[in-house]
Amino acid sequence: MRAKRITANLHVADIEASKGFYTDFLGLTTQEFNMGWVARYTCPETGANVQLVTRDASAPEDAAISVHVDDVDAAYEEAQRLGHEIVHPLTTEPWGVRRFLVRAPDGTVVNIVRHRD
């Protein structure tokens, strides 16, 4: 598996109440998307970004990070082969991503994802 990008997922109680700190103070001025339960804010000059998450819409646990990959199906097979705990099975979500959640040996839940083209 090859990670193309890793995004921090910050748990917040309320995205709208929290976004000012990340947009006004940290300068992450571009809202890439906001689905009510997750939103991504990015600095257009540097590409630095963060996702604010209130609660995952379909998985039983929230992920600490999202790892964007080219081939999520191959990553899923590799995670299973290596015996890693799958928290949320490989799924094509209604919002268009294909992903699964896996628990790292330290207990961290990681979202392995491929966005639609």
Side-chain angles (χ1 to χ4, degrees):
M1 179 177 69
R2 184 177 72 89
K4 293 173 30 179
R5 177 178 56 166
I6 297 176
T7 302
N9 296 326
L10 301 181
H11 184 267
V12 298
D14 182 310
I15 289 173
E16 289 304 312
S18 301
K19 82 175 190 179
F21 175 83
Y22 298 96
T23 58
D24 298 339
F25 179 64
L26 295 184
L28 305 178
T29 55
T30 300
Q31 179 175 284
E32 289 187 44
F33 61 82
N34 185 336
M35 296 171 31
W37 62 273
V38 60
R40 182 182 307 144
Y41 299 94
T42 301
C43 176
E45 292 83 24
T46 67
N49 64 45
V50 67
Q51 287 184 165
L52 305 182
V53 182
T54 58
R55 176 75 177 101
D56 194 291
S58 65
E61 295 187 47
D62 295 331
I65 60 173
S66 291
V67 178
H68 306 264
V69 298
D70 287 327
D71 190 342
V72 71
D73 293 86
Y76 186 72
E77 290 175 14
E78 183 177 358
Q80 288 182 309
R81 183 180 58 77
L82 295 172
H84 296 305
E85 178 189 351
I86 303 299
V87 176
H88 180 67
L90 185 61
T91 305
T92 300
E93 301 288 4
W95 54 92
V97 301
R98 187 155 172 81
R99 71 178 185 149
F100 69 97
L101 275 66
V102 60
R103 190 178 314 281
D106 64 10
T108 301
V109 176
V110 178
N111 179 35
I112 309 293
V113 62
R114 183 171 193 292
H115 287 263
R116 64 181 164 222
D117 295 326

